[in-house]
Structures are given as structure tokens and as C-alpha cells.
Amino acid sequence: GTFSVPSGASTGIYEAYELRDNDKSRYNGKGVLKAKENVNTIINDALFNMDIFDQEKIDETLIRLDGTDNKRLLGANAILGVSIACAKAAANAKKIELYEYLSFKNENNLVTPTMNVINGGVHALNNLDIQEFMIVPINFTTIHKAIERCVKVFNTLKSILKENNSSSIGYGDEGGFAPNLK
């Protein structure tokens, strides 16, 4: 299994630590050779010969191995990538999709979408400290109805912001509105 770990602009006090090399001559200091080395040595040694179908033990081992609250030692980017790659490997071995493997045999699981509606923090040029305000549609019978409700809320919010804000609303890095709010 493989997994590509996303990188974000977030550096808040509650964020998991993204281990970077800080070598300004490579990728402006954003290289991940340290995280890669941790995967290929420390993490590999700890997980070698572990049962690929025991995701809970894999994740517990990764957490214990790092030993910090914010994944600062090994890097959340290394830990997340390995965890999900293991889950994908297990799903591939069973010849099923990852979401099926992670559904824990509950056939009634419906993916619940989330939608980013307002950005703040480092994701927007506004006065908000909170990075993202998300909405989560619940109690819908189909994914289509859930997404339709999110779109309705998003567009209603846009109308409200336009009515109450004479200047341009603007958008944040991740697609949410970026108004200045009191």
C-alpha cells in the first residue's frame, strides 16, 4: 500500500507536527528527508513482520514509538503515511476497496461529507484565528442529498455575508469564505 501525505499551511498549537528538514537549499526548507529516514529505519524496524490486518496494533505501535503528544519525534507526516499505507495494503490483500476494509463490517456506513465554509488563521487574509469552519450534513439517506444540503448552506451563507458586508468577502486557501468577522 502507498499513501501521499498532504501538506498544509497550519502551524497552530494543536496541529500534529509535520517533520521538515529546514534545509533552505532544498525545497525552501520544506523537504522531508528526515521523515523519510524515520519511515525507512525506526518505523520499519518496529513494524517489520507485524500482522498487516491488525491496524489498531500498528497505530498503537506508531503512537508509542513517537511518544510525543504532537508526533514531533517521527513526524505526523511519517506516521500518517505509514498508517494509511498499511491499511491500504491490507485492503489490497483482501482485494477490496479501502473504505470497505475500514467499514468494520458495517454495511450501512455512508460516507459523511464535510464542507469548509469559512477560512481563517493562516488560510485567509482576515481577522479570524480559527482555521476552518466546517459543516457536516447528518441524517441524510444518500450522499447526493447530503452534498446538495451542503451546497445550499454554502450559497445561503454567501448571500448573508454579502448582505452584511459592504466590501468583498474573498476566499481562503481552501475554498471557504474569508470575511472579517466580529
Side-chain angles (χ1 to χ4, degrees), residues 36-158:
K36 177 184 169 189
E37 181 69 16
N38 289 341
V39 169
N40 291 333
T41 57
I42 299 168
I43 293 173
N44 180 61
D45 292 347
L47 298 184
F48 191 77
N49 282 333
M50 192 174 284
D51 181 359
I52 196 67
F53 300 109
D54 194 346
Q55 188 69 39
E56 188 172 345
K57 184 176 179 185
I58 290 167
D59 289 342
E60 287 171 356
T61 301
L62 291 167
I63 291 167
R64 182 181 41 74
L65 198 59
D66 180 86
T68 66
D69 288 341
N70 65 353
K71 314 302 180 269
R72 185 172 205 87
L73 180 66
L74 299 175
N77 42 344
I79 293 169
L80 176 64
V82 169
S83 174
I84 297 177
C86 287
K88 288 178 80 174
N92 290 343
K94 290 184 176 269
K95 296 181 176 24
I96 59 175
E97 296 293 329
L98 179 61
Y99 76 89
E100 293 174 295
Y101 179 72
L102 296 176
S103 72
F104 305 108
K105 309 216 181 340
N106 181 351
E107 294 179 19
N108 295 320
N109 280 351
L110 175 66
V111 173
T112 302
T114 59
M115 181 179 275
N116 180 349
V117 293
I118 297 178
N119 286 147
V122 296
H123 290 280
L125 299 173
N126 61 11
N127 66 344
L128 301 177
D129 292 331
I130 296 175
Q131 171 182 308
E132 293 171 340
F133 292 79
M134 308 284 289
I135 57 174
V136 182
I138 57 172
N139 297 328
F140 288 91
T141 56
T142 69
I143 190 75
H144 302 292
K145 289 179 182 178
I147 291 171
E148 182 179 8
R149 181 54 51 98
C150 284
V151 170
K152 184 173 184 174
V153 170
F154 186 85
N155 287 321
T156 301
L157 176 60
K158 182 178 184 177

